[in-house]
């Protein structure tokens, strides 16, 4: 089929383009090529046969031409990360939410009814937790005073006891705790409303912490793996926030790309007017400190420094239960953590 990939020149988007081509699709790419993401280098190279148009998803006239003859859209375009400060708030809302709204309206006008949406695990806020006395609980946002005192683990909101972190399923309530997280939750809700209104079909892939070749290392909007790798490339020790015990699920970009291809195949089996979300993670629990030490070991670089610093928008623990994607999309992660991380570190 003919597929439009927004943000298809980016880190994840370009891997998705390659996966779709391998599946036999014809692909066109729309990418704003934001300097915050791509720097000021020349246009990125994409595989032969892929049409790349530099432009913004908020440009309705441009979208009209890009959507002509398209069967489905894979929407990767977004500003990512926690940003620099609250001055970024208008840009996040404009690119992520207004951009998605303009795209959905253009798809409705063009008669394009199938959408794979790049979501994020940040929509959950904290992950799943269990209190020995009260069972499953949702901890409140962590308080600055606790973080400043080095009390990083969220307590039970009912009795204050220590909690056991668990994996989070797609049925968990959304509790976005940063500007970026709010915009990603809004993207999902806009897409679901669009599907109901026009008989569309949406599959949202909630990515967990993606890493791999092609990550942009020198931007404040990068993920933690890129930040650590950038430090090591400069000969600096990675700086690990909190105590390094934050639990995450690190998933290789090739596995994420394969999940997009699987979701596109699965759309045909979905009923009109439906929206469904899937966690896309490795299924393995790792810590941020473990990531930093593994990268340092692989590169032979300086040992990480655990700083005790924190960012108020960060959550303590969030790891995926990805069984739904395995059962319904037939998708399974293939890249082992240490093998993928070693290739990323040395690439």
């Amino acid at each position: 089929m003919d597929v439009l990939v927004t943000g298809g020149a980016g880190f994840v988007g370009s891997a998705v383009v390659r996966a779709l081509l391998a599946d036999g699709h014809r692909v066109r790419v729309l990418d704003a090529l934001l300097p915050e993401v791509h720097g000021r280098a020349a246009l990125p190279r994409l595989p032969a046969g892929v049409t790349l148009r530099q432009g913004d998803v908020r440009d309705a006239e441009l979208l009209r031409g890009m959507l002509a003859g398209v069967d489905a859209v894979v929407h990767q375009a977004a500003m990512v990360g926690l940003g620099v400060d609250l001055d970024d708030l208008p840009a996040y809302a404009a690119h992520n939410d207004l951009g998605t709204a303009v795209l959905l309206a253009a798809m409705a006008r063009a008669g394009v009814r199938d959408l794979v949406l790049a979501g994020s695990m940040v929509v959950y806020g904290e992950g799943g937790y269990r209190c020995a006395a009260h069972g499953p609980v949702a901890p409140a946002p962590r308080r600055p005073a606790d973080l400043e005192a080095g009390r990083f683990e969220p307590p039970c909101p009912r009795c204050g006891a220590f909690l056991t972190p668990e994996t989070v399923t797609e049925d968990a309530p959304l509790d976005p705790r940063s500007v970026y997280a709010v915009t990603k939750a809004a993207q999902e809700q806009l897409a679901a409303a669009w599907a109901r209104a026009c008989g569309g079909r949406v599959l949202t892939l909630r990515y967990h912490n993606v890493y791999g070749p092609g990550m942009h290392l020198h931007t404040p909007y990068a993920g933690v793996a890129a930040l650590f790798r950038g430090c090591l490339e400069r000969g600096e020790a990675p700086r690990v926030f909190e105590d390094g015990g934050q639990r995450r699920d690190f998933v290789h970009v090739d596995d994420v790309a394969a999940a997009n291809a699987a979701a596109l195949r699965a759309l045909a089996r979905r009923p009109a007017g439906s929206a469904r979300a899937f966690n896309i993670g490795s299924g393995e629990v790792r810590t941020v400190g473990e990531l930093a030490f593994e990268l340092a070991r692989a590169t032979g670089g300086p040992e990480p420094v655990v700083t005790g610093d924190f960012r108020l928008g960060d959550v303590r623990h969030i790891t995926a239960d990805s069984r739904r994607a395995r059962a319904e999309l037939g998708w399974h992660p293939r890249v082992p953590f240490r093998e993928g991380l070693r290739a990323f570190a040395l690439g």
Side-chain angles (χ1 to χ4, degrees):
M1 67 176 70
D2 288 281
V3 184
L4 170 63
V5 181
T6 69
F11 163 50
V12 176
S14 58
V16 170
V17 167
R18 293 190 294 272
L20 297 184
L21 290 173
D23 253 13
H25 300 294
R26 295 171 296 277
V27 179
R28 62 188 75 172
V29 168
L30 175 63
D31 198 301
L33 300 176
L34 296 176
E36 298 91 338
V37 175
H38 296 271
R40 300 189 181 279
L43 291 179
R45 297 181 64 180
L46 289 171
V50 175
T51 301
L52 169 62
R53 179 73 181 270
Q54 182 174 359
D56 197 309
V57 292
R58 294 170 293 179
D59 185 337
E61 183 60 27
L62 174 60
L63 283 173
R64 187 174 67 85
M66 293 297 294
L67 287 167
V70 161
D71 302 299
V73 173
V74 179
H75 184 32
Q76 304 289 321
M79 285 189 65
V80 300
L82 285 182
V84 176
D85 53 38
L86 286 178
D87 284 341
D88 281 333
L89 198 159
Y92 274 100
H95 284 285
N96 296 0
D97 296 340
L98 178 58
T100 298
V102 174
L103 173 65
L104 293 170
M107 289 175 65
R109 288 193 298 271
V112 181
R113 296 292 184 264
D114 283 348
L115 173 67
V116 177
L117 174 65
S120 174
M121 55 82 180
V122 296
V123 298
Y124 297 118
E126 289 285 351
Y129 289 84
R130 180 174 294 274
C131 174
H134 299 107
V137 295
R142 296 184 295 171
R143 300 182 302 176
D146 288 335
L147 296 171
E148 289 166 0
R151 295 188 292 269
F152 301 122
E153 295 289 341
C156 175
R158 298 178 63 182
C159 67
F162 287 109
L163 299 173
T164 301
E166 297 182 331
T167 56
V168 62
T169 70
E170 294 88 348
D171 296 325
L174 304 190
D175 185 17
R177 297 185 176 187
S178 69
V179 169
Y180 172 59
V182 169
T183 66
K184 295 305 288 184
Q187 279 186 316
E188 288 196 32
Q189 293 162 345
L190 286 167
W194 166 85
R196 289 191 297 271
C198 72
R201 301 180 290 195
V202 181
L203 294 182
T204 296
L205 306 181
R206 292 175 180 163
Y207 303 159
H208 284 247
N209 290 75
V210 187
Y211 74 96
M215 289 191 85
H216 303 285
L217 306 182
H218 307 295
T219 166
Y221 302 91
V224 65
L227 295 176
F228 290 162
R229 180 68 182 84
C231 286
L232 291 163
E233 187 179 82
R234 296 190 298 271
E236 302 170 2
R239 295 178 58 80
V240 179
F241 280 17
E242 301 186 19
D243 59 2
Q246 307 95 304
R247 290 159 54 109
R248 296 292 187 269
D249 185 326
F250 297 101
V251 59
H252 195 274
V253 67
D254 288 349
D255 286 330
V256 171
N260 278 269
L264 196 58
R265 292 192 295 270
L267 272 172
R269 303 191 297 269
R270 299 294 303 165
S274 65
R276 191 155 176 80
F278 297 88
N279 284 332
I280 302 299
S282 70
E284 298 181 11
V285 177
R286 304 285 178 175
T287 67
V288 171
E290 184 179 1
L291 173 76
F293 279 92
E294 289 286 348
L295 280 171
R297 184 178 299 115
T299 60
E303 191 167 286
V305 175
V306 179
T307 67
D309 295 337
F310 62 89
R311 297 187 301 182
L312 194 58
D314 278 337
V315 298
R316 179 62 177 175
H317 302 302
I318 175 72
T319 54
D321 182 329
S322 298
R323 288 177 293 180
R324 178 185 289 181
R326 290 157 171 75
E328 297 184 20
L329 302 181
W331 168 83
H332 300 271
R334 305 292 184 190
V335 182
F337 175 72
R338 286 189 172 86
E339 178 183 313
L341 207 61
R342 189 179 304 112
F344 169 59
L346 301 177

